[in-house]
Amino acid sequence: MNNIKFFNEDCFETMDKMKQYNQNVDLILTSPPYNTGRPSTSERSRENHEGKYDVHIDNMSQEYYCEWCVSLFNEFDKILNENGCVLWNVSYGSDATVNTEAIGLMWLSIADIIRQTNFTVADRIIWKKGSALPNNVSKNKLTRIVEDVFVFCRKEEYKTFNCNKEVSSVGKNGQTFYKNTFNFIEAKNNDGSCKLNKATYSSDLCKQLLQIYAQPNITVYDPFMGTGTTAIACEELGLNCFGSELSKDQVEFSINRLNEFRNKN
């Protein structure tokens, strides 16, 4: 049975413990908060947390969100093994009701990660979802059917970070050629929303990403585990997984979900 553990705490706390006990990971796969919630000072809005999550309010200021992302990647650098990568699924504001500070925020945060951390973008994967996000209130913005997954690696490991591309041939001069692995993945949107989390992740997407980048028997870390999607993909592929999640209820949901998955298999 794979070693899968959930931590009911902020991911910065989990990473501090990893450093304390010299516990590194080989790959980080996550869908972090997009910070596209509408800012509001009303108690009702803060209580329902934009209706997406049971504990998280997705409306940091633009400056704070970028600083937060930089801090995350600086911590990733301390726990990620040599030639590991970070698979970072993010998106941007979708309609007129979105926090106006979120416009362009995805790109600003990625730029700050590149400028202010030891990481750079090695690849950009387009994830085509099974169904489009409704966007019928906009007269000019297109209906969204895709999201991005950015592949981050350390700048000095740009040519060496781990990937499972297959060799197709070796030329007479020793040049190695590889089979095509396209930066386009089709996967269903998610594994079904629940009352705790209306923005759940896709285990189908996670599985396909791990098949590209995960070496056998490695340990994967998801700092925003949510309802345990990354863990399910890791369990299916025989990988170890650690996950951090602020919500106690979502951690309990993830444990039950994992147990049910194991019992069925």
Side-chain angles (χ1 to χ4, degrees):
M1 186 176 293
N2 310 318
N3 182 18
I4 295 181
K5 295 182 179 179
F6 303 106
F7 298 91
N8 181 204
E9 61 192 11
D10 187 277
C11 61
F12 287 98
E13 295 179 47
T14 307
M15 289 188 282
D16 281 342
K17 292 175 182 176
M18 289 183 186
K19 290 180 290 182
Q20 181 181 352
Y21 293 103
N22 296 316
Q23 174 66 66
N24 282 14
V25 298
D26 304 288
L27 186 150
I28 296 169
L29 167 58
T30 196
S31 182
Y34 296 169
N35 204 52
T36 56
R38 287 171 289 173
S40 175
T41 57
S42 75
E43 190 64 28
R44 181 177 181 181
S45 176
R46 294 183 63 83
E47 283 178 354
N48 69 24
H49 306 283
E50 302 300 326
K52 293 180 181 179
Y53 316 103
D54 62 330
V55 296
H56 176 69
I57 301 176
D58 201 23
N59 59 5
M60 306 178 203
S61 71
Q62 186 179 85
E63 180 181 4
Y64 185 82
Y65 182 77
C66 289
E67 291 175 354
W68 178 76
C69 288
V70 167
S71 297
L72 276 169
F73 274 77
N74 282 330
E75 292 303 303
F76 292 166
D77 195 20
K78 299 171 185 176
I79 64 163
L80 186 65
N81 280 329
E82 182 179 358
N83 287 320
C85 64
V86 180
L87 306 177
W88 188 253
N89 165 230
V90 286
S91 192
Y92 50 91
S94 61
D95 57 42
T97 63
V98 77
N99 177 359
T100 54
E101 281 204 351
I103 299 173
L105 184 56
M106 179 179 81
W107 304 107
L108 291 172
S109 61
I110 290 169
D112 278 357
I113 290 167
I114 295 171
R115 285 192 298 245
Q116 300 179 39
T117 78
N118 198 27
F119 289 88
T120 192
V121 174
D123 259 315
R124 176 191 176 201
I125 296 172
I126 304 301
W127 166 29
K128 182 182 178 183
K129 300 182 287 187
S131 58
L133 177 72
N135 193 26
N136 299 325
V137 298
S138 174
K139 68 177 183 180
N140 55 10
K141 290 190 67 180
L142 307 183
T143 302
R144 189 182 312 173
I145 192 69
V146 299
E147 287 192 12
D148 295 292
V149 179
F150 292 91
V151 181
F152 284 92
C153 69
R154 294 185 178 96
K155 292 168 184 173
E156 66 270 22
E157 295 171 353
Y158 183 80
K159 294 184 177 182
T160 61
F161 73 92
N162 295 321
C163 186
N164 296 325
K165 292 182 70 176
E166 295 183 47
V167 175
S168 60
S169 63
V170 179
K172 294 181 179 179
N173 62 352
Q175 175 68 55
T176 302
F177 296 90
Y178 296 89
K179 295 180 180 179
N180 285 326
T181 302
F182 295 108
N183 65 337
F184 180 84
I185 292 176
E186 292 189 67
K188 63 182 181 180
N189 290 32
N190 55 40
D191 294 349
S193 64
C194 66
K195 65 179 181 180
L196 304 173
N197 189 333
K198 297 296 190 298
T200 57
Y201 206 19
S202 166
S203 59
D204 185 14
L205 173 65
C206 289
K207 182 179 176 181
Q208 293 190 58
L209 290 169
L210 290 170
Q211 287 171 328
I212 297 172
Y213 293 104
Q215 307 297 297
N217 303 313
I218 67 164
T219 298
V220 177
Y221 178 51
D222 187 343
F224 307 99
M225 181 60 77
T227 54
T229 302
T230 300
I232 294 295
C234 287
E235 175 70 15
E236 190 170 354
L237 294 175
L239 306 174
N240 304 308
C241 182
F242 298 151
S244 302
E245 173 54 49
L246 286 172
S247 166
K248 180 180 179 181
D249 288 341
Q250 288 195 62
V251 170
E252 292 178 356
F253 182 97
S254 298
I255 293 171
N256 292 332
R257 180 183 179 188
L258 179 62
N259 289 335
E260 289 176 6
F261 182 85
R262 285 173 168 171
N263 291 335
K264 289 179 181 178
N265 295 275

